[in-house]
Amino acid sequence: MPEMIVTVRSLVRLRREPVVVQAVRSTAAAVVSYVVALWLSSEPAPLTAPLTALLVVQVTLYTTLTTGIRRVNSVVAGVLVAIGFSALVGLTWWSLGLVILTSLVVGHLVRVDEFVPEVAISAMLVLGVTQVAAVAWDRVLETLIGAVVGLLFNVFLAPPVWVAPASEAITSLAGRMRELLYHLGDELAEHTPVEKAAARLHEARRLDNDVAHVDSALRQAEDSLRLNPRVKEGLLFRLVLRTGLDTLEICAVVLRVCSRTLTDLAKTRTDGPLFSDPLAEALRELFSHMAIAVENFAVLITAQITASAEEAEVRLTQELAAARVSRERAARLLEEEARSRPGTWQLYGALLADADRVLDELGVEKRSERLVEELDRHSRAQRAGRPLLGRLWRGLWRYRSTADR
């Protein structure tokens, strides 16, 4: 019985994996497109339709739509190139090379991105048959069937929203940053060999790989929110997660610099602890509050329920306030200790600057400011991408204003 429960849970988790979802949806779309192509096309084995469906159907509706458009454009461009060359020259070694070169150039001109080779492939397949015109338009028809089936497959069977995996990745990144801060704080009052401090520095550097992993998961989540009928506030979700990741990425960089500073301090303190007991305790409290603040920040940006978000914001504000109190106490003690060790004042100042940067980035005001900036930037980008609609709207508004007067 327990083994059966474990198996069921494994299947449930497997059902949520992007690779599994992609395989099932692509297979179903390919089979449906092949059946439709058998009915509409004159080809005995219209394999272009399922091939197109395999390439078009992606995990999200947005990527399905954009991929389908580029795929159809590439096939149509290749067919037109083949028709043009078939009317002028036959199939020889030099004409084949010229067709391939022309197709690749045309593919870049029509901006089909990863489907540039498909332009040349379509041109070669069409050019190699005797009845060029009939085969050419059958190929276009099959491509359209595959693209339309793939698009409808995602329209009527709405793809999943991949916000949860992205949120889990952000939470995991914040957890590793929290653990690093705890470790750094616990080692301040003890003798820290250079090798041990360098190990913490390498741990901080590995956060860059974690940020890249989270960025990949977040891009998938952003695509799943675009044009998804099940999401009403997809833009806001995207921007909240994106700006939150930007903040955590900045904090990861600052933690790497902080680890570098502590490593440099370890090189100067080969026979004792890095700091005196009162100063080490103040810094440990500061790092502890920063660790909890990072964790609460991740909860805040990934919370889907308003109550959870409000609770996380309250906890984050409290931890940041406590961290600033600890920072002031640590600053006074660092200033006193720097007088007795004048050669380390630059490293002490660097530690305070790193703490200030993390506390500033995690602040609620900074987060709101960055979110407003991203919303404004997105609005400007939309207006710049649709200048004709903007001019028509402004012209209509001026006309209505004149008519009212």
Side-chain angles (χ1 to χ4, degrees):
M1 187 66 178
E3 292 79 4
M4 182 178 299
I5 295 176
V6 172
T7 303
V8 172
R9 290 178 179 175
S10 301
L11 291 176
V12 172
R13 286 195 298 267
L14 190 63
R15 183 179 61 87
R16 298 178 58 214
E17 287 295 325
V19 175
V20 177
V21 174
Q22 172 74 359
V24 173
R25 297 171 69 85
S26 297
T27 302
V31 172
V32 172
S33 63
Y34 181 74
V35 173
V36 175
L38 283 176
W39 180 44
L40 297 178
S41 176
S42 60
E43 288 290 318
L47 295 177
T48 303
L51 174 62
T52 302
L54 284 174
L55 296 175
V56 167
V57 174
Q58 304 296 320
V59 178
T60 66
L61 178 60
Y62 175 77
T63 51
T64 296
L65 180 60
T66 54
T67 303
I69 293 174
R70 292 197 300 271
R71 168 77 179 180
V72 172
N73 285 343
S74 65
V75 172
V76 172
V79 166
L80 293 178
V81 169
I83 292 176
F85 271 85
S86 65
L88 299 176
V89 296
L91 179 59
T92 61
W93 66 268
W94 61 267
S95 64
L96 177 63
L98 194 57
V99 166
I100 295 174
L101 178 60
T102 304
S103 300
L104 294 177
V105 172
V106 170
H108 286 287
L109 291 177
V110 297
R111 297 181 179 180
V112 294
D113 297 337
E114 71 272 22
F115 292 123
V116 169
E118 178 67 20
V119 181
I121 293 173
S122 298
M124 286 189 295
L125 292 178
V126 173
L127 192 64
V129 299
T130 55
Q131 298 177 347
V132 174
V135 174
W137 298 121
D138 281 339
R139 182 169 175 80
V140 171
L141 176 62
E142 294 170 18
T143 302
L144 288 173
I145 291 173
V148 171
V149 169
L151 179 59
L152 293 179
F153 199 83
N154 268 355
V155 169
F156 291 105
L157 298 176
V161 177
W162 300 106
V163 173
S167 300
E168 293 172 1
I170 290 176
T171 303
S172 178
L173 171 63
R176 284 187 286 273
M177 295 172 64
R178 177 201 61 201
E179 293 301 320
L180 176 60
L181 283 166
Y182 278 139
H183 292 158
L184 292 176
D186 292 339
E187 296 170 358
L188 297 175
E190 60 186 37
H191 172 61
T192 304
V194 177
E195 295 77 11
K196 189 174 183 180
R200 295 299 180 203
L201 177 58
H202 290 308
E203 183 179 349
R205 287 172 175 168
R206 285 195 294 271
L207 290 175
D208 292 341
N209 297 329
D210 298 331
V211 170
H213 171 71
V214 177
D215 182 69
S216 177
L218 185 52
R219 283 199 304 269
Q220 184 183 60
E222 290 172 337
D223 286 345
S224 70
L225 292 172
R226 291 188 177 100
L227 305 179
N228 197 313
R230 298 191 300 176
V231 180
K232 295 181 180 180
E233 298 182 358
L235 174 62
L236 184 59
F237 286 162
R238 297 203 315 266
L239 294 184
V240 167
L241 293 177
R242 175 57 63 183
T243 54
L245 176 59
D246 292 341
T247 298
L248 291 179
E249 184 175 5
I250 294 173
C251 292
V253 173
V254 176
L255 288 182
R256 185 170 69 243
V257 176
C258 182
S259 301
R260 175 78 262 180
T261 301
L262 293 176
T263 303
D264 293 338
L265 276 173
K267 293 177 181 178
T268 64
R269 309 282 176 84
T270 57
D271 55 352
L274 294 179
F275 302 98
S276 61
D277 290 340
L279 178 55
E281 179 62 22
L283 289 174
R284 189 193 65 78
E285 289 183 2
L286 172 60
F287 281 20
S288 177
H289 289 306
M290 289 167 55
I292 300 175
V294 168
E295 183 180 25
N296 287 325
F297 180 83
V299 174
L300 174 61
I301 63 176
T302 58
Q304 300 296 317
I305 303 175
T306 305
S308 300
E310 292 178 354
E311 183 180 352
E313 184 172 345
V314 171
R315 291 198 303 267
L316 174 61
T317 304
Q318 293 173 347
E319 291 299 328
L320 291 176
R324 290 188 175 93
V325 173
S326 299
R327 187 265 181 207
E328 293 302 323
R329 186 160 68 94
R332 290 192 298 269
L333 294 173
L334 281 171
E335 185 179 359
E336 295 175 1
E337 189 163 323
R339 293 192 183 99
S340 60
R341 296 179 177 179
T344 58
W345 68 268
Q346 288 180 317
L347 297 177
Y348 289 170
L351 278 179
L352 289 178
D354 294 339
D356 289 340
R357 183 64 187 277
V358 172
L359 297 179
D360 179 64
E361 291 294 332
L362 295 177
V364 178
E365 297 80 6
K366 186 75 172 182
R367 170 178 171 270
S368 301
E369 177 184 345
R370 182 172 285 124
L371 185 58
V372 170
E373 289 176 354
E374 285 297 316
L375 286 170
D376 291 341
R377 186 186 62 81
H378 186 271
S379 298
R380 289 194 301 270
Q382 279 192 326
R383 289 194 297 268
R386 292 179 291 186
L388 179 59
L389 291 178
R391 288 196 298 269
L392 290 175
W393 175 257
R394 288 192 295 270
L396 179 61
W397 181 260
R398 285 196 297 268
Y399 173 78
R400 292 182 60 183
S401 299
T402 304
D404 291 339
R405 290 197 298 267

